[in-house]
Amino acid sequence: MSATDVLAGLEPAGIWSRFAELTAIPRPPKEEEHARAYVLAWAERLGVASTVDAEGNVVVRVPASSGREDAPAVVLQSHLDMVCERDPGSDYDPRAGRIRVELEGEWVVAPETTLGADNGIGVAAAIAVAEDPGVRHGPLELLFTVSEEQGLDGAKALDTSLVSGRLLLNLDGRSDHSLTIGCAGSTHTFTRFRLPLETVSADDVTVRIALTGARGGHSGGDIDKGRANAIKALGRVLSSAYERSPFRLVRLDGGVSRNAIPRDAAASVTIASGDEARFREAAEGAFAALRERFAGSDDGLALSIEPAAAEPGAELDASRRLLDLLAATPTGVVAMSPSLQNTVETSTSLNVATTDGDVVTLTSMTRSANAPALDDVVAGIVAAARLAGAEVEIRPSYPPWRPDLDSRLLAVARETFERLFDEKPALDVVHGGLECAVIGDKLSGVEMLSIGPEIVGPHAPGERLSVPNTQRFYRLLGALLDDLSRS
């Protein structure tokens, strides 16, 4: 059954029909051409102007409702790409536009893959509200960016001459009970460790050891959930095994996205003849301790040790130093906010490990709403790399988006929210990255706000989207556009 069939009958029909169509469109970061073509074709059918910049970002200009022509232009911003994760062995694959969508009670869910509600629901909302005759609004600029999930690259390269509006609603929020007014900044680090490789003895045994089944999730929004990081967990297993049976590391790989907690990791190692039994016993003992540690948060963890083809392996000392580096590389919450209750201020996550020839690269993403605190964590990663004899490349990604509590946009949004829902909205500073952090630096004088429905597990298979929250989000968006065009 197609997503269109599954979501038929949900209200408001416009946003759900558009979202269903998007789930069938391949749109990983850097490969958004099909999603861009979808938006441009829609704009052409609607008879409105559209422009594409050199990076592939799209701006669609929607005229004001009758009588609202003099209202200030509002930018509705969302991103076209999505994180494409899937369960091993699944026949479904978001990279190919194959997502099995199901309705479970009040949730839309993709059981075996990511759903792409991040940020497909924002794209769908922008399109739906622009063609909804029941929504009154001033001039709209629908800004669809690319490569958000890969370092906010689309927003960074945005041709700002295409955007005239200075009131911006980012539609990539995560909760309909709050207004997001700020976010953490981030820095990527790439630690490169060179493995001196040697030819292994013909009597040695090579095995592939894999840790799978971690829940993963967003490396910002889910970092405080106490979930296993598959790369770090495998490193712990390998370190324990090395103490009992020293081995030569052949390769280490894990994770798929620079901003998702890794769910799987694998390594190939060469063990001296006669030591395989001790290696297996130590590895399985360490894994049992991991299962106990992550009981309740990652009950699906699994460990496999299988024979592998012989390859050159690293020197024993180099293998040990890499395992020490892996252990010393921080992952998890570093500090909570001193001013916002139950809010993470600073965190870091080792998200990807890759082996290319004789070089292992460990890729981390560090986030903080406090710029000096972010710098301190990065300095610690650099120090650990230096002690291990590795090199580090530092790539600052984006600055923190600092709240503006005095903005007119926020004042109107708070009034609209309270009138609609008879409650005051919470004001959030999120720990994930939002394109507002980049766009705010590029558009002088812009006022920004982020809204959206509740999405659970946005970067992992099983991602789910709340139906009633999406309905509230759409009501808020329509009412806010109405109020902004009248005030």
Side-chain angles (χ1 to χ4, degrees), residues 189-355:
T189 53
F190 301 83
T191 302
R192 298 185 175 93
F193 184 94
R194 186 170 297 279
L195 293 173
L197 300 179
E198 299 178 336
T199 302
V200 300
S201 169
D203 295 331
D204 289 349
V205 176
T206 302
V207 299
R208 181 180 185 272
I209 177 169
L211 190 145
T212 59
R215 288 185 63 186
H218 191 284
S219 65
D222 294 321
I223 199 68
D224 60 343
K225 302 297 192 299
R227 297 175 184 172
N229 179 304
I231 300 171
K232 290 281 289 185
L234 180 60
R236 184 72 190 94
V237 169
L238 290 172
S239 290
S240 295
Y242 189 96
E243 295 301 326
R244 290 282 304 279
S245 175
F247 55 78
R248 301 177 186 277
L249 185 69
V250 175
R251 62 182 305 110
L252 171 68
D253 298 281
V256 298
S257 173
R258 282 191 284 171
N259 62 357
I261 300 169
R263 300 183 301 118
D264 307 305
S268 294
V269 303
T270 295
I271 310 162
S273 176
D275 283 355
E276 183 179 0
R278 284 196 298 274
F279 174 89
R280 288 178 176 271
E281 181 182 4
E284 289 166 358
F287 177 68
L290 281 173
R291 288 290 303 271
E292 181 179 350
R293 175 184 172 186
F294 291 106
S297 65
D298 282 274
D299 292 325
L301 288 178
L303 186 75
S304 64
I305 304 175
E306 303 291 342
E311 296 182 61
E315 298 173 349
L316 291 177
D317 178 66
S319 298
R320 172 75 273 177
R321 284 188 290 114
L322 178 58
L323 294 177
D324 287 345
L325 173 61
L326 195 56
T329 300
T331 283
V333 175
V334 176
M336 302 297 290
S337 171
S339 56
L340 296 173
Q341 189 175 13
N342 299 321
T343 299
V344 178
E345 178 200 74
T346 306
S347 76
T348 187
S349 180
L350 171 54
N351 292 330
V352 180
T354 57
T355 302

Side-chain angles (χ1 to χ4, degrees), residues 267-475:
S268 294
V269 303
T270 295
I271 310 162
S273 176
D275 283 355
E276 183 179 0
R278 284 196 298 274
F279 174 89
R280 288 178 176 271
E281 181 182 4
E284 289 166 358
F287 177 68
L290 281 173
R291 288 290 303 271
E292 181 179 350
R293 175 184 172 186
F294 291 106
S297 65
D298 282 274
D299 292 325
L301 288 178
L303 186 75
S304 64
I305 304 175
E306 303 291 342
E311 296 182 61
E315 298 173 349
L316 291 177
D317 178 66
S319 298
R320 172 75 273 177
R321 284 188 290 114
L322 178 58
L323 294 177
D324 287 345
L325 173 61
L326 195 56
T329 300
T331 283
V333 175
V334 176
M336 302 297 290
S337 171
S339 56
L340 296 173
Q341 189 175 13
N342 299 321
T343 299
V344 178
E345 178 200 74
T346 306
S347 76
T348 187
S349 180
L350 171 54
N351 292 330
V352 180
T354 57
T355 302
D356 183 8
D358 64 349
V359 176
V360 175
T361 301
L362 305 178
T363 301
S364 292
M365 187 175 189
T366 304
R367 307 174 190 262
S368 184
N370 182 324
L374 189 154
D375 293 341
D376 284 348
V377 177
V378 172
I381 292 173
V382 172
R386 185 183 301 119
L387 289 171
E391 298 179 351
V392 180
E393 177 187 356
I394 301 171
R395 294 185 198 169
S397 187
Y398 50 86
W401 166 29
R402 298 188 179 280
D404 179 4
L405 296 176
D406 298 323
S407 80
R408 168 179 171 271
L409 175 60
L410 176 58
V412 174
R414 294 174 85 163
E415 292 174 1
T416 304
F417 191 104
E418 190 167 353
R419 185 184 75 249
L420 278 182
F421 306 126
D422 196 29
E423 62 176 304
K424 294 182 182 294
L427 301 182
D428 284 347
V429 176
V430 299
H431 197 57
L434 287 171
E435 288 161 297
C436 294
V438 174
I439 294 172
D441 271 1
K442 296 174 74 73
L443 293 180
S444 175
V446 69
E447 297 181 25
M448 302 177 295
L449 198 65
S450 179
I451 58 176
E454 183 179 3
I455 301 172
V456 177
H459 287 184
E463 177 186 352
R464 55 184 54 224
L465 169 66
S466 168
V467 173
N469 281 189
T470 300
Q471 293 166 337
R472 276 173 53 109
F473 158 60
Y474 190 77
R475 282 185 64 202

Side-chain angles (χ1 to χ4, degrees), residues 36 40 49-53 56-61 142 159 162:
R36 181 166 48 247
L40 293 174
S50 60
T51 309
V52 181
D53 69 10
N57 301 302
V58 180
V59 176
V60 177
R61 294 173 180 79
L142 312 187
D159 181 352
L162 303 183

Side-chain angles (χ1 to χ4, degrees), residues 21-29 31 33-35 82-86 90-100 113-114:
E21 291 168 353
L22 285 164
T23 62
I25 299 175
R27 46 196 173 93
E31 299 176 27
E33 58 271 14
H34 297 293
M82 65 174 284
V83 169
C84 296
E85 285 263 18
R86 59 195 285 261
S90 173
D91 292 332
Y92 295 91
D93 185 359
R95 289 183 174 274
R98 298 196 309 274
I99 299 175
R100 177 160 66 94
T113 68
T114 41

